[in-house]
Amino acid sequence: MNTPRLPLTRDLALASRLALLVTILMTLASLGGLLFPMASYPNDDLRQSFLANDVVNLVIGLPILLGMLWLFRRGNLFGLLGLPGALFYVAYNSIAYAAAMPLTLPFFAHLVVRLQSNLT
């Protein structure tokens, strides 16, 4: 039985690697926020706002992103269409972090995640 081919003419290896990099950076930034909240979020308002968001990133966002990346790498059409949506979630989330955070190391981590997710 023939499996249908995706309507693509380009190699998607670079996009796959960049999406994996975005996944790793989002995971590290969220884990850093949960494990080191005083260092990541300098005041109580930021901690109250973004600690829950870090949990959502790890519990909901990460599995969806990994699932779409897995499907994408297998050549599944659902993965091809779903991966940009998952990356948009990461970019949208990172905009909120980048806008609210002072210029610290976590700020630059979220900024890099946002820029990487725009490239893929």
Side-chain angles (χ1 to χ4, degrees), residues 4 6-7 22 27 33 44 48 50 60 62 72 75 77-78 80 85 118:
L6 292 177
V22 167
T27 303
D44 289 335
Q48 187 176 9
F50 290 120
I60 297 172
L62 182 62
F72 178 79
L77 183 61
F78 188 66
L80 179 69
N118 282 344

Side-chain angles (χ1 to χ4, degrees), residues 59-92:
V59 172
I60 297 172
L62 182 62
I64 290 173
L65 189 56
L66 287 174
M68 289 299 125
L69 184 58
W70 182 71
L71 290 172
F72 178 79
R73 292 183 112 184
R74 290 181 51 112
N76 188 306
L77 183 61
F78 188 66
L80 179 69
L81 298 174
L83 186 62
L87 291 171
F88 178 74
Y89 165 78
V90 175
Y92 177 78

